[in-house]
Amino acid sequence: MARKLLEKAGAKIGDLVRIVKSDGSVYEGILMPRYMAFSKPIIVIKLSNGYNIGVRVDDKTVVEVLKTREQILREAAAGAPAVIPLIEEKPPSGPKPRVVIVGTGGTIASRIEYETGAVKPAFSAKELLEAVPEIGFIAEIESEVLFNILSENMRPEMWEKIVDSVAKYIQEGFDGVVVAHGTDTMAYTAAALAFAFQGLPVPIVLVGAQRSSDRPSSDAAFNLHAAVLTAAKAPFAEVVVVMHGEPSDSYALAHRGVRVRKMHTSRRDAFQSINSLPLAKIWPAQNRIEVLLKPLRKRREQELVVKNGFERKVALVKYYPGMDSEIIDFLVDRGYRGIVLEGTGLGHVGEWLIPSIRRAVEEGVVVVMTSQCLFGRVNMNVYTTGRKLLAAGVVPGEDMLPETAFVKLAWALKQFDDINEVKKIMRTNLVGEIAARHTLDVYPRWNHG
Amino acid sequence: MVEAKLDVTKYDPRKLGLRVGLEIHQQLDTKHKLFCSCPTKLVEQPPEKPAFARRLRPTRSELGEVDIAALFEWRKGRVYEYYAPDECSCLVEADEEPPHSLNRDALVIGLSIALALNAKPVDEVHVMRKIVIDGSNTTGFQRTAIIALGGYIELPSGKKVRIQTIAIEEDAARKVDERGNSVRFLLDRMGVPLIEISTAPDIETPEEAYETAFIIGQLMRLTGKVKRGIGTIRQDLNVSIKGGVKTEIKGVQRLDLLPKVVLYEAIRQARLLEIREELRKRGISPQDVERESKIVDVTEIFKNTKCRIIKRALSRGGRVYAVKLPGFHGLLGVEVQPGRRFGTELADYARFWGGVGGIFHSDELPGYGISEEELSKVFEVVGARKGVDAVVIVADEPKAARKALEAVIERAKMAIIGIPKETRAALPDGTTKFMRPQPGAARMYPETDIPPVEITDDILAEANKLKPVHPLVKLKELKTKYGLSEQLAQQLLRHVHLDFYEYLAEKYGDKVAPTYIASIFINILRNLEREGVPVENLSENHIEDVVRALAQRKITKDVVPQVLEFLAKNPTKNVEEAIKALGIGAISLEEVEKLVEEAVEALKEEIMSRGMAALSKVMGRVMPVLRGKIEGRVVAEIVKKKISELLEKHR
């Protein structure tokens, strides 16, 4: 109904329209997009005071266009004030580290079109510097938009593209790379980069935002500032995720890409290192990096070595009570080459699954066990089921996060032809994903008094 | 020439072409906040420590526009710290979780008020984000939604004042304090539902502004679903006069102050126009100011100054700057509001744009330790003529001082053109001070985290049930239900505490006569106010405590005025403490009987001879001790009983 009326009037989003309802009431405003399609006979307009309202329409309603969007924008632009920079001072000239920001999605910087309320991503280096001028004081900034997707739509082929792009910039001599990424699957991508860069001379920093960058309270600028500082100045050359360290805008944390997990749906400090302390604390306002762990690789210590490529036929399967063995059988029958199990406790699944698992191993599938406890190490020697699983050929995933083990297996299956080599690699620490020692302090407890 | 001293009585707002629009904000009394499940209660004390600290970044519009006030705060490195009491704030207030759906109860109450205001509900409610970057919202915006358009109210004169919009929105956090670069807020109030009613600029006198606010307030209170007490209702104003500009005035909390604020703003605009006329008469143009007003470093002149403020600035590495304002002699000392001069307006700008403590201007000098000699030298150095030009001096850190004087020059230029568009804050004496330049067009964009709500017939039916009754219906109810006289009921109906009265009468009416409770509001409090008692210090809790003490017979009616007076003067004290301090603690019947028995015993002979006629004698003996502790009527009964007993015994 609403669509028909608008089509009849030739009204487009952003046009100033007048709606005359059958009861004679008149509404004027700018036509807004309707988020929930046209399921209801309601037209949304922005009134002159900036508010949006919905106007119910029927077949007797009359809609007419008073002014087109183009006209409105032209008039607004004519009266626009000069652009005031956020920071008056210019960054000092002289050599600065070079940092490239690679965009993959999420709006780390954006602008609001107040006429329509649309939020537009801003990603050119110029736009980034305008939105977050602080980063211009740290580094020479370049940027590239690789793609713009929601991170839940990320796929291994995109990891490969990101690896290629980042490798290209490192070869060009950049002193650090920042990858802007949606937060949902950022930890997976971080792990993928960590394994793909077997030799790394500079830091690769993944960054995102938990509050969209159109709002004044967004964490995007703070996180980007911290990320650029890390990329430009950190003494380590590792793949890290840099995000808020606490609800305050005080410090960010740099987490190892293979140790990090999104542990909260919405908080700024959603990202936490599991089974490890964060690698560093970053204080962007103070221009300070406080390293908390011994870096695995120092900056400019290694040559660039890229091993790109991820096997697609790998599954991450979470065990639950009563799980049907057909699920394992299905994966084997469909030609899967690797299965990471997220088992219970020390690394168990219901014993009725063992025959299917044994069959999988016999067919050449690499089966790795991790724990849904997340914290702690799997140990399959303690209970009978664990010993039976080991006997069936399951590879214990040590203290790896299930997601990290999944990415690592996908990577290893592509890099090594020999299954036994893959199994060995899965139990070998490559980039900090496995630690032989756990101290008492790396486990969070509630502040319960 | 404009008289420096302001004579308020010379200005008749009717002749100035006064136009006023009101924005009334009232907290709704819902169980939960507008966008989360926290209760709408406030805490007495903030928690020990703030829970987190944030900075808010000015966001940029598509046209590159940023909010200038927000930008300044951000550049200064302003940090906002938040106290987050667990009992009434959650991750939503902390901006760590997306908002929940719009509180339906708040929407229904809002619509019921809209219907009573003859407004037309919208068909679908869309929540917007209105950018507010002063830290009072953790998000950096206020969530707000228009629920109805149009409508009107009728003043007693029969005049109609149109309503433009009715919105529901979230209240802001409470500011606790400000130290150095950090502002602290308490999150308990943030998210409490507010209704915002905006009138058209139909109001033409200060009295009409009062009437309008009063009628809308009364109507809202008649729903019984709004919060009471100081801070639960706030008025913002838009005021202009003919030839003036629409000035926004924020935060008038007391209704009785409203007419004064309106009058003083009308006068301020009139005075600024007089200053403009005078400047034009003197032949001063903005270009003259532009050309002649140069900022000069005059630190040398003040090397051995006796001015303490300048000395302090210099000892901190600051410098002294001065600027000439050509042809402004005498005008900086012109009062624009009682106690506020045109120089004060310049100082406000210097503070806002330069962040300095204040300015000195030649219309108030020599003074503040600045000598005639120093002043003459400044005049000489900046090339100003005494008796013709004015000079402004600032002592501070060089960058700040220069910015401050640039702002002073800008403001001086504006004085020749007209009245700048400002947002001003209301002060307790009815005057206003500059807060910030008016923000550009309302910066609103959709709150995409909250789905729109269609106003269905079901919702409207619920709203209709809550729709406040007509005042005449309420009048009848007051008379029949509480037995109030026509006059008392009339007075109560107009009283801001009507719904509070009903609450008290309902709760304590069986122990304390409803007519008496009414007289507390209508007579006792008014008399106290007339006597100069600061009754505005009395909270509803104070008044309820007094009524409760009456109901529990802890105090008697005859001391109620005394107790209220004590509490008004000592608002942190409670009724118990008042009783103690005033020595009026109620007394038990046993004690009274004991006292009476002693008196009867002492006057035995007289009683034996005169019988019941000796009652007044006994009363005269005990009452000085009992006054205020028990009602005379009760004492008299006991005395009567004891005398009868005595007479009985000796018969």
Side-chain angles (χ1 to χ4, degrees):
Chain A
M1 170 68 65
R3 188 200 298 265
K4 238 177 30 202
L5 275 170
L6 293 174
E7 276 169 6
K8 203 172 116 199
K12 296 184 303 299
I13 304 297
D15 290 349
L16 179 66
V17 295
R18 175 185 289 145
I19 303 168
V20 183
K21 297 219 297 189
S22 46
D23 67 357
S25 46
V26 180
Y27 298 86
E28 277 182 23
I30 291 172
L31 187 64
M32 291 287 116
R34 194 166 162 77
Y35 293 101
M36 266 155 292
F38 287 92
S39 54
K40 283 179 186 163
I42 288 179
I43 292 177
V44 183
I45 55 169
K46 179 184 279 295
L47 304 174
S48 60
N49 59 14
Y51 279 93
N52 290 8
I53 60 164
V55 181
R56 204 176 281 123
V57 296
D58 57 27
D59 50 10
K60 292 198 188 76
T61 308
V62 180
V63 179
E64 65 173 310
V65 176
L66 300 177
K67 218 181 247 187
T68 64
R69 176 171 187 272
E70 290 68 32
Q71 255 176 301
I72 294 166
L73 287 177
R74 216 179 304 125
E75 285 169 21
V83 173
I84 302 172
L86 288 186
I87 300 181
E88 284 176 300
E89 293 84 10
K90 291 267 168 293
S93 52
K96 279 195 286 282
R98 290 172 70 214
V99 170
V100 61
I101 302 173
V102 178
T104 70
T107 48
I108 195 85
S110 57
R111 282 183 163 185
I112 308 158
E113 188 181 290
Y114 284 89
E115 281 72 21
T116 62
V119 176
K120 294 185 164 178
F123 217 86
S124 73
K126 182 172 164 285
E127 287 169 324
L128 283 172
L129 283 167
E130 247 172 48
V132 193
E134 298 97 315
I135 59 176
F137 288 76
I138 299 169
E140 295 294 339
I141 302 292
E142 286 187 33
S143 75
E144 185 199 343
V145 181
L146 208 52
F147 31 81
N148 192 3
I149 58 157
L150 300 168
S151 85
E152 56 269 36
N153 295 331
M154 186 60 68
R155 306 176 70 98
E157 44 269 42
M158 295 167 180
W159 298 342
E160 290 166 358
K161 278 192 187 135
I162 298 171
V163 170
D164 284 341
S165 164
V166 170
K168 180 187 80 189
Y169 287 112
I170 295 174
Q171 258 159 5
E172 279 177 29
F174 277 84
D175 296 297
V177 181
V178 172
V179 178
H181 199 290
T183 55
D184 276 12
T185 63
M186 179 152 60
Y188 292 84
T189 305
L193 293 179
F195 291 115
F197 287 92
Q198 284 296 305
L200 188 60
V202 297
I204 300 172
V205 184
L206 284 92
V207 69
Q210 285 282 81
R211 297 279 93 73
S212 61
S213 57
D214 52 80
R215 45 165 93 197
S217 64
S218 171
D219 52 338
F222 176 92
N223 289 345
L224 183 64
H225 187 182
V228 169
L229 181 62
T230 309
K233 303 271 176 70
F236 47 78
E238 299 195 35
V239 178
V240 291
V241 164
V242 169
M243 293 285 287
H244 258 69
E246 55 172 6
S248 292
D249 292 330
S250 48
Y251 62 86
L253 289 172
H255 305 274
R256 280 207 169 111
V258 287
R259 283 297 196 189
V260 69
R261 200 164 188 281
K262 187 178 183 181
M263 296 297 284
H264 198 276
T265 56
S266 60
R267 286 174 63 130
R268 286 166 173 73
D269 55 358
F271 283 81
Q272 300 288 345
S273 287
I274 308 293
N275 287 328
S276 160
L277 282 183
L279 181 53
K281 259 174 147 169
I282 320 290
W283 306 80
Q286 289 78 17
N287 210 21
R288 186 156 65 89
I289 297 173
E290 183 186 342
V291 178
L292 303 176
L293 294 178
K294 191 170 176 293
L296 293 170
R297 290 180 293 222
K298 290 195 187 126
R299 185 184 277 275
R300 300 287 176 203
E301 192 177 65
Q302 282 185 343
E303 291 295 310
L304 178 69
V305 180
V306 185
K307 303 263 185 218
N308 199 0
F310 297 87
E311 172 61 48
R312 308 295 191 266
K313 288 282 184 192
V314 178
L316 172 57
V317 180
K318 184 168 190 149
Y319 172 76
Y320 51 90
M323 183 172 138
D324 199 318
S325 60
E326 278 182 16
I327 291 174
I328 307 287
D329 297 339
F330 169 84
L331 292 171
V332 176
D333 294 343
R334 287 298 171 99
Y336 271 71
R337 298 188 57 211
I339 299 172
V340 173
L341 289 168
E342 205 179 304
T344 55
L346 287 164
H348 306 131
V349 293
E351 58 182 10
W352 62 86
L353 293 184
I354 295 173
S356 291
I357 291 173
R358 190 179 298 118
R359 178 188 157 235
V361 174
E362 282 164 7
E363 304 240 337
V365 180
V366 180
V367 182
V368 178
M369 180 63 75
T370 60
S371 175
Q372 40 193 259
C373 295
L374 303 179
F375 283 94
R377 187 191 312 280
V378 299
N379 188 326
M380 302 166 74
N381 297 314
V382 179
Y383 294 103
T384 319
T385 308
R387 292 192 286 269
K388 284 183 183 165
L389 284 165
L390 280 178
V394 171
V395 180
E398 301 294 336
D399 62 335
M400 274 189 289
L401 280 169
E403 299 86 357
T404 299
F406 161 74
V407 174
K408 186 178 181 183
L409 185 55
W411 175 78
L413 282 169
K414 199 79 176 182
Q415 303 304 322
F416 304 94
D417 295 330
D418 181 359
I419 289 291
N420 289 321
E421 184 69 17
V422 172
K423 289 181 181 172
K424 205 177 108 198
I425 284 289
M426 287 308 289
R427 302 196 63 176
T428 310
N429 176 37
L430 298 180
V431 284
E433 76 277 17
I434 293 172
R437 293 179 68 236
H438 281 189
T439 46
L440 276 168
D441 54 339
V442 284
Y443 180 62
R445 293 171 73 246
W446 304 131
N447 184 15
H448 47 58
Chain B
M1 179 65 200
V2 192
E3 281 290 318
K5 184 92 189 108
L6 170 64
D7 180 3
V8 179
T9 59
K10 263 176 53 187
Y11 295 87
D12 179 356
R14 282 157 201 83
K15 290 182 184 145
L16 292 173
L18 179 67
R19 287 289 199 164
V20 184
L22 288 182
E23 255 177 44
I24 298 175
H25 303 89
Q26 164 74 57
Q27 283 181 357
L28 303 180
D29 195 17
T30 51
K31 203 165 155 214
H32 298 142
K33 290 185 177 178
L34 195 51
F35 297 112
C36 72
S37 302
C38 287
T40 59
K41 289 199 178 89
L42 301 188
V43 291
E44 299 273 327
Q45 280 288 322
E48 211 176 303
K49 276 192 280 183
F52 56 94
R54 296 261 170 77
R55 299 194 61 193
L56 289 174
R57 254 181 125 75
T59 45
R60 211 178 262 285
S61 79
E62 184 70 358
L63 297 169
E65 203 183 342
V66 288
D67 182 286
I68 208 79
L71 179 64
F72 279 12
E73 297 296 292
W74 182 77
R75 278 187 189 163
K76 280 185 234 160
R78 182 69 95 195
V79 174
Y80 306 103
E81 293 183 274
Y82 296 96
Y83 294 99
D86 288 335
E87 58 267 44
C88 51
S89 74
C90 66
L91 286 185
V92 174
E93 285 90 332
D95 190 38
E96 289 285 18
E97 182 182 324
H100 305 179
S101 299
L102 180 75
N103 181 335
R104 194 184 146 104
D105 291 345
L107 177 61
V108 169
I109 298 169
L111 285 170
S112 75
I113 295 168
L115 292 173
L117 288 167
N118 315 297
K120 196 170 163 55
V122 301
D123 297 324
E124 190 175 62
V125 173
H126 286 248
V127 180
M128 307 298 290
R129 298 168 172 176
K130 185 197 259 174
I131 299 280
V132 180
I133 320 188
D134 60 2
S136 62
N137 286 77
T138 48
T139 48
F141 50 72
Q142 181 191 32
R143 299 189 178 98
T144 174
I146 283 190
I147 59 164
L149 296 166
Y152 61 89
I153 57 149
E154 213 173 293
L155 301 183
S157 64
K159 171 175 175 164
K160 277 185 182 172
V161 174
R162 288 169 299 156
I163 307 292
Q164 285 179 331
T165 57
I166 300 172
I168 49 175
E169 51 194 34
E170 52 182 4
D171 205 343
R174 287 200 279 168
K175 191 166 167 176
V176 179
D177 61 10
E178 199 170 336
R179 352 179 153 170
N181 231 350
S182 130
V183 190
R184 292 185 167 184
F185 288 96
L186 179 53
L187 288 182
D188 55 354
R189 198 182 68 184
M190 190 180 144
V192 171
L194 289 177
I195 184 166
E196 185 206 66
I197 298 170
S198 309
T199 77
D202 292 346
I203 296 160
E204 289 166 301
T205 66
E207 295 70 35
E208 282 179 8
Y210 178 89
E211 283 294 340
T212 304
F214 178 82
I215 288 170
I216 292 174
Q218 181 187 52
L219 193 135
M220 292 192 292
R221 287 188 298 274
L222 281 172
T223 61
K225 298 278 182 187
V226 302
K227 298 231 184 233
R228 293 184 305 261
I230 274 281
T232 62
I233 184 163
R234 297 190 292 275
Q235 282 101 13
D236 294 347
L237 303 165
N238 292 313
V239 181
S240 68
I241 62 168
K242 195 157 172 267
V245 298
K246 194 177 95 179
T247 300
E248 290 180 3
I249 299 171
K250 296 266 176 206
V252 185
Q253 293 211 359
R254 288 185 45 204
L255 194 59
D256 49 6
L257 200 59
L258 205 57
K260 209 171 187 183
V261 174
V262 170
L263 176 68
Y264 284 177
E265 175 57 25
I267 290 177
R268 190 184 73 93
Q269 296 193 17
R271 294 288 276 179
L272 289 174
L273 292 178
E274 287 173 31
I275 290 173
R276 179 180 75 177
E277 275 325 293
E278 177 65 25
L279 282 164
R280 288 185 176 173
K281 245 188 258 169
R282 293 182 187 180
I284 312 295
S285 71
Q287 292 73 29
D288 294 335
V289 178
E290 179 79 50
R291 195 177 53 247
E292 291 187 40
S293 299
K294 297 281 177 260
I295 299 167
V296 182
D297 187 331
V298 294
T299 312
E300 277 304 303
I301 299 174
F302 292 94
K303 257 166 88 182
N304 299 310
T305 187
K306 292 212 167 56
C307 173
R308 276 205 226 138
I309 298 168
I310 294 182
K311 258 203 269 187
R312 202 182 317 131
L314 292 179
S315 74
R316 287 180 186 158
R319 299 195 67 83
V320 189
Y321 295 89
V323 73
K324 161 175 111 169
L325 299 178
F328 275 72
H329 169 75
L331 293 177
L332 274 56
V334 168
E335 259 188 320
V336 292
Q337 286 187 332
R340 295 185 61 86
R341 282 152 234 293
F342 179 55
T344 324
E345 304 257 305
L346 296 185
D348 281 346
Y349 273 63
R351 280 189 208 106
F352 180 80
W353 299 91
V356 300
I359 61 169
F360 299 104
H361 63 78
S362 50
D363 288 350
E364 56 180 5
L365 299 175
Y368 301 101
I370 295 176
S371 68
E372 179 70 58
E373 193 194 340
E374 286 166 336
L375 185 62
S376 297
K377 277 192 194 157
V378 172
F379 264 83
E380 193 181 312
V381 171
V382 300
R385 299 152 294 172
K386 285 218 166 166
V388 178
D389 304 327
V391 164
V392 175
I393 301 167
V394 170
D396 211 302
E397 180 261 314
K399 203 170 145 192
R402 281 189 167 276
K403 288 215 153 167
L405 285 180
E406 280 165 20
V408 166
I409 296 169
E410 277 311 304
R411 181 65 188 85
K413 277 198 279 186
M414 285 182 224
I416 309 165
I417 300 158
I419 302 166
K421 282 196 120 182
E422 295 172 350
T423 300
R424 300 180 67 88
L427 301 175
D429 64 355
T431 61
T432 56
K433 80 170 188 205
F434 175 75
M435 247 171 103
R436 44 169 296 155
Q438 263 177 40
R443 300 166 61 102
M444 299 248 216
Y445 65 110
E447 169 55 275
T448 43
D449 296 344
I450 300 166
V453 184
E454 189 177 359
I455 303 294
T456 57
D457 290 343
D458 290 355
I459 295 180
L460 285 176
E462 279 177 60
N464 253 314
K465 266 189 237 155
L466 278 187
K467 189 175 151 185
V469 298
H470 193 277
L472 284 178
V473 177
K474 186 51 93 179
L475 186 71
K476 202 169 155 203
E477 192 186 316
L478 288 174
K479 290 195 287 189
T480 52
K481 197 164 171 192
Y482 304 118
L484 303 185
S485 67
E486 170 77 21
Q487 195 199 359
L488 205 52
Q490 281 281 11
Q491 284 174 309
L492 209 52
L493 190 63
R494 286 189 61 80
H495 202 279
V496 288
H497 277 125
L498 171 61
D499 59 335
F500 182 45
Y501 165 76
E502 287 187 279
Y503 161 81
L504 291 175
E506 208 56 44
K507 194 163 167 188
Y508 303 100
D510 55 338
K511 301 230 170 57
V512 185
T515 44
Y516 181 75
I517 300 176
S519 74
I520 293 181
F521 293 103
I522 304 304
N523 302 319
I524 297 175
L525 287 175
R526 283 194 185 158
N527 287 338
L528 287 174
E529 192 173 11
R530 234 170 269 143
E531 288 161 24
V533 176
V535 290
E536 66 274 10
N537 290 341
L538 290 172
S539 71
E540 294 194 350
N541 281 338
H542 286 131
I543 295 171
E544 179 168 358
D545 285 350
V546 171
V547 176
R548 191 187 302 116
L550 267 176
Q552 294 170 346
R553 303 200 182 282
K554 281 188 190 157
I555 56 168
T556 59
K557 282 179 196 162
D558 41 336
V559 294
V560 164
Q562 250 177 296
V563 173
L564 286 170
E565 179 176 348
F566 177 85
L567 291 174
K569 289 176 177 163
N570 307 280
T572 56
K573 299 257 163 71
N574 58 31
V575 170
E576 311 293 324
E577 289 166 302
I579 291 171
K580 216 183 237 170
L582 298 169
I584 51 168
I587 192 163
S588 71
L589 282 177
E590 291 80 54
E591 283 175 90
V592 178
E593 287 196 11
K594 217 176 124 210
L595 272 170
V596 172
E597 272 167 26
E598 282 166 17
V600 167
E601 189 59 36
L603 298 165
K604 196 171 169 185
E605 278 174 29
E606 196 168 344
I607 296 169
M608 295 302 289
S609 62
R610 292 176 59 203
M612 229 8 124
L615 185 130
S616 61
K617 196 87 187 210
V618 181
M619 285 295 282
R621 199 174 172 103
V622 293
M623 275 320 280
V625 191
L626 292 176
R627 198 174 309 276
K629 297 182 181 174
I630 187 160
E631 282 178 56
R633 178 175 54 82
V634 181
V635 180
E637 255 157 50
I638 294 172
V639 173
K640 243 186 243 169
K641 191 176 90 187
K642 292 292 168 192
I643 292 177
S644 319
E645 277 174 19
L646 184 80
L647 294 173
E648 199 73 15
K649 217 162 73 185
H650 291 269
R651 178 155 299 165

